[in-house]
Amino acid sequence: MIWIKDRLSAVVFLAAALALAACGGAGGQGGDGGGASAQTRTIEHAMGETKIQGTAKRVVVLDTGELDSAMSLGVKPVGAVEAVEGLGLPSYLEGAGGIENVGTIEEPNLEKIATLNPDLILSSKLRHEQIYDQLSQVAPTVFTETTGVTWKENFEKHAEAMNRADEAKEVMDGYEDRLEEFKRAMGGRLGETEVSVVRFLPGETRVYQKESFVGTVLEDAGLPRPPSQDVDDFAILNASEETIPEMDGDAIFVTAYGPQDETTRQKITSDPLWQKLEAVRQDRVYEASDDLWMLGIGPTAANGVVDDLEKHLAES
């Protein structure tokens, strides 16, 4: 779990939040999202129940999956966190300009969130359980349990909280249609192309398995995985040079998180074992966006992954 360091003491934060509410803001679990006569809905979620009045108009999101969910539903949040300070929001999302920065996933700026006067806050228990009580004093707050492999269930919960269940169904129907297009484009190669996914991070290499966001998209697309990745687990963490043979496949998609010179990419790809991989010898190693494949965790990102798969596997 990511550790959260509060920027304010609980007393100071609650005082600020209550002051905003007294000035007519949308503070507290009964925040006004759509006028005094709007219907009040009770949303069950990972932290209990939250009452939301009307349809939220000022949404703050505290992870990249929640940002993807909102944007996929046509909701532009008033505030969002960065995955890494200074790197901005995921580059694949169009129309995200103007969203206020409210810190990082690791350390949301609680004071800034309060000043935005939100009427809904979205995050997960995994990320921000420690500050849930403080957030819920500012606005109705809805948490999913975790992130990644549960992205479809999370999207459904986010849509419920934003009162956009019908729109969510249309989005997921569109995703299913996109998958069918991809499968038709692949034809007979579909079940014969094993896809490997490798991520280079500062000080660590990961080989992604089935219980991950990208793992679910590959399964939805009907693409098999190499034996080492055809496992109901998240990833091979801290993969060493000795595990390079387990990274092979008919195609390898690689991503890098953080500054390139700080990741393990050069160390792994310069190793003689990497050079012996069949995908490397056949020039079937493809660069993919880390924002899209690893950080997106929502339907817009999932469609983007399928676009990449078609570009490199069906069109090549």
Side-chain angles (χ1 to χ4, degrees):
M1 180 183 295
I2 290 180
W3 176 73
I4 303 299
K5 176 183 176 184
D6 295 350
R7 294 191 178 189
L8 300 174
S9 69
V11 173
V12 174
F13 180 75
L14 291 179
L18 292 174
L20 281 172
C23 293
Q29 295 289 349
D32 185 352
S37 62
Q39 181 182 6
T40 298
R41 299 172 294 115
T42 299
I43 308 297
E44 296 182 1
H45 58 99
M47 298 299 292
E49 293 183 347
T50 293
K51 294 186 182 299
I52 301 175
Q53 190 173 29
T55 298
K57 295 180 174 63
R58 298 184 61 80
V59 181
V60 168
V61 294
L62 301 184
D63 204 345
T64 51
E66 284 74 12
L67 176 60
D68 188 297
S69 287
M71 298 292 285
S72 296
L73 291 168
V75 177
K76 184 174 181 177
V78 294
V81 293
E82 298 176 305
V84 178
E85 186 174 6
L87 293 187
L89 301 180
S91 57
Y92 71 89
L93 287 172
E94 297 181 0
I99 297 176
E100 196 73 27
N101 182 311
V102 293
T104 63
I105 296 173
E106 182 177 354
E107 191 174 352
N109 186 324
L110 302 177
E111 183 178 23
K112 187 65 170 293
I113 292 169
T115 63
L116 288 177
N117 197 23
D119 50 17
L120 177 64
I121 300 170
L122 297 174
S123 188
S124 67
K125 185 175 180 179
L126 171 72
R127 300 296 197 200
H128 300 124
E129 179 179 11
Q130 295 179 26
I131 57 172
Y132 173 78
D133 289 341
Q134 293 161 290
L135 292 169
S136 63
Q137 290 293 324
V138 176
T141 301
V142 173
F143 276 11
T144 57
E145 187 71 33
T146 186
T147 66
V149 68
T150 59
W151 69 274
K152 294 177 187 177
E153 295 89 338
N154 292 357
F155 179 58
E156 184 177 343
K157 183 59 63 178
H158 300 153
E160 180 187 3
M162 289 184 282
N163 201 21
R164 288 171 168 81
D166 291 343
E167 292 91 333
K169 184 180 184 306
E170 292 180 5
V171 169
M172 292 309 295
D173 286 347
Y175 171 62
E176 293 297 331
D177 291 343
R178 182 69 189 92
L179 290 168
E180 291 305 312
E181 291 175 0
F182 167 74
K183 292 175 182 178
R184 286 194 295 270
M186 285 292 291
R189 292 174 291 173
L190 183 64
E192 301 175 356
T193 306
E194 291 185 351
V195 173
S196 172
V197 181
V198 180
R199 188 187 195 194
F200 304 114
L201 302 95
E204 181 186 3
T205 303
R206 295 180 181 179
V207 183
Y208 277 74
Q209 299 169 318
K210 294 171 67 176
E211 292 295 310
S212 61
F213 164 69
V214 72
T216 66
V217 178
L218 292 172
E219 185 170 2
D220 290 344
L223 290 166
R225 310 294 302 282
S228 65
Q229 298 173 43
D230 192 23
V231 176
D232 290 326
D233 207 344
F234 171 61
I236 301 173
L237 303 176
N238 295 304
S240 64
E241 290 89 330
E242 288 75 17
T243 61
I244 288 176
E246 299 181 38
M247 302 176 190
D248 206 0
D250 295 308
I252 303 174
F253 286 85
V254 299
T255 78
Y257 176 77
Q260 289 279 349
D261 59 354
E262 296 180 12
T263 72
T264 58
R265 180 173 190 148
Q266 179 61 27
K267 179 180 180 180
I268 294 294
T269 59
S270 63
D271 192 283
L273 287 174
W274 177 266
Q275 301 302 322
K276 292 179 181 179
L277 297 180
E278 187 65 21
V280 175
R281 295 171 59 192
Q282 296 293 326
D283 195 25
R284 291 177 64 82
V285 178
Y286 305 112
E287 186 79 27
S289 163
D290 197 80
D291 280 356
L292 192 66
W293 281 58
M294 300 297 167
L295 297 180
I297 321 178
T300 297
N303 278 291
V305 171
V306 177
D307 288 346
D308 283 350
L309 294 171
E310 182 166 315
K311 173 184 177 181
H312 294 297
L313 303 182
E315 297 178 5
S316 63

